[in-house]
Amino acid sequence: MSITQLILIILAVVAIVWGIYTLLKSIRQKNQDVLATDAIEHDKDGLPIIPRHQRPEPEESQLFKAEITSDNPKGEVQLSADDTELHLDNYPANGGFANANVTKSANDKLLAETHTFVENENDAFSMLANATETITPVVHTFDENQLKNDSFTDNSPILDTHIQAQIDEEQNSPLNNAIQNINISIFPNQQFVDIKGDYLLELIDKYGLKFGAMNMFHRYENKDGTGLLWFSLMMIDNEGISPFDLNRLPTQTMKGLVLFLSLPHPRPVQGFDSMMSIAGLLANDLNATVYDDTGEPINKENTQAMRELAINFGR
């Protein structure tokens, strides 16, 4: 082997070793950069948190300096717990923040524009409020305490009608739910003598009967028309048993009267006795006679039979 070949072999070995060294160094540096990147902490937005000693130093032109005076030769800004505000009007016009020509006149201009904007905004809100008032109906409010103390004296027609309908339903329940009736009739004793309507109205008022349901007169528990229905009254004319017409009754005549007790009745004894008592009074005033539903004059026997029927009905 010649000397030339030996030298070339040595150079080749050196080149290979140098290449391997350079490659390993590059890989090592890359791994260190990756490890350094992973070691950096990040904030909640994902931005890296750089330690203070690794942060780049700001350039001199970007620093904020106060006015250099004999008391403050270095232009340092000193804040205390008692004074934490920067007074820009004490700084020179050519000092302050770099690349920002903030002057007192600029501040005044900015404040003036701000006031103008606020005034315009207030005017806009005022116009909106006025427009809203024109289209919004007026809502009247009342004091709750006053409403509690006030007494309502005016009647409500709708409420009164509803209440009266309920009262009528309860009062006339025997008539509305009737299955059977106990009937008695009154006829004048003299033949061809009719009962005059105007006189009958006087007797009806005298004995507390009230005109009501089904165009009939009814006697209730109380003479003023309150309480439970006792019995009802109809007239007998040429057409048979008929209801009353108040417009014609004062000038009308009739052949007789029919009184009936509707069954079942919640208080049958009181209803029957009341019917028999008033029937006797009417017959006495009209010079008439009371008959049962078979046409027989009333006596103790048929009266007792009708009374027992009223008591035992529905049992």
Side-chain angles (χ1 to χ4, degrees), residues 251-266:
T251 59
Q252 194 175 12
T253 59
M254 59 208 71
K255 301 296 183 180
L257 302 173
V258 173
L259 292 79
F260 63 93
L261 172 69
S262 299
L263 299 176
H265 197 285

Side-chain angles (χ1 to χ4, degrees), residues 8 95 187:
L8 291 175
F187 289 99

